[in-house]
Amino acid sequence: MTPDRRRRIEGIAVLIGFAACIPAANWLIGNVGTTCVPDGPCLIPVAPGISAPSGVLVVGLALVLRDLVQRRLGRYWALAAIGIGAILSVVFAPPSLILASTAAFLLSEMTDLAVYTPLQKRGLVLAVVASSVVGLVIDSMVFLFLAFGSLQFLLPQIIGKAWMVILSIPVISWLRQRDERIGMPVCT
């Protein structure tokens, strides 16, 4: 298989994974957790004594996957993925969370794109981590404020999403090394 064909196949797989994160996060927040707050989110522990809305892990993963969509398919596909994600947010979010989910998704992913794009030339791991951190803070603030009128879960949200970014670092590092070894072309 040529490196170009492999890049496209991997890009499509990452795009599908990215798109799946949106309905998964919206479903998790209302259905899975160690506790569910009345008229609020279901919570999971993200650190000792700290719980966050359960969709945080999947949202953290989405930020990393969006960067990989751009790396494999290019900036225009990344923008298309953001549009698809926004549509999926509207379709799969519970009615009470549609505005919050869609606005948080659009703002965080566009910010992620703006940070990732110039940094990717300096290094893939740096670009993914920096863009994801900026994106997860914006996503957390916008979502919590619009969904619940409170930033009560801001730190737990940031911690939960950061876990996924941290866990992705070895995979991103391996991917960068493998891409260089096999001569995989990188889209920008």
Side-chain angles (χ1 to χ4, degrees), residues 22 81-91 102 105-106:
I22 291 93
I82 292 169
I84 291 166
I87 291 166
L88 289 172
S89 289
V90 170
V91 172
T102 305
F105 180 82
L106 280 171

Side-chain angles (χ1 to χ4, degrees), residues 136-160:
L136 69 86
V137 170
I138 289 172
D139 183 83
S140 298
M141 290 174 65
V142 171
F143 180 78
L144 290 171
F145 182 76
L146 292 176
F148 307 113
S150 164
L151 297 179
Q152 173 185 357
F153 294 110
L154 182 59
L155 181 61
Q157 285 259 113
I158 289 170
I159 292 170

Side-chain angles (χ1 to χ4, degrees), residues 5-126:
R5 180 165 166 73
R6 176 180 270 182
R7 178 186 53 78
R8 281 192 299 275
I9 290 170
E10 288 178 8
I12 291 167
V14 172
L15 178 63
I16 291 167
F18 172 77
C21 286
I22 291 93
N26 285 316
W27 182 81
L28 285 169
I29 199 166
N31 295 291
V32 176
T34 54
T35 55
C36 292
V37 177
D39 296 320
C42 292
L43 306 172
I44 58 168
V46 293
I50 300 176
S51 293
S54 58
V56 298
L57 299 177
V58 179
V59 173
L61 178 61
L63 291 164
V64 172
L65 292 177
R66 205 255 1 118
D67 294 340
L68 294 178
V69 167
Q70 182 172 342
R71 182 172 175 84
R72 290 292 183 252
L73 299 175
R75 191 175 336 172
Y76 296 111
W77 274 103
L79 286 167
I82 292 169
I84 291 166
I87 291 166
L88 289 172
S89 289
V90 170
V91 172
F92 286 101
S96 62
L97 299 180
I98 287 175
L99 175 63
S101 177
T102 305
F105 180 82
L106 280 171
L107 289 172
S108 66
E109 293 294 340
M110 292 302 290
T111 304
D112 180 278
L113 177 79
V115 172
Y116 174 83
T117 300
L119 286 180
Q120 71 176 329
K121 294 175 181 111
R122 297 171 116 179
L124 179 61
V125 174
L126 169 69

Side-chain angles (χ1 to χ4, degrees), residues 3-4 6-8 10-11 14 67-68 70-73 116 120 124-125 171-187:
D4 228 19
R6 176 180 270 182
R7 178 186 53 78
R8 281 192 299 275
E10 288 178 8
V14 172
D67 294 340
L68 294 178
Q70 182 172 342
R71 182 172 175 84
R72 290 292 183 252
L73 299 175
Y116 174 83
Q120 71 176 329
L124 179 61
V125 174
V171 175
I172 298 300
S173 181
W174 171 82
L175 184 64
R176 180 193 53 78
Q177 292 170 2
R178 189 208 63 169
D179 287 357
E180 289 174 1
R181 188 179 70 250
I182 67 171
M184 174 83 71
V186 176
C187 291

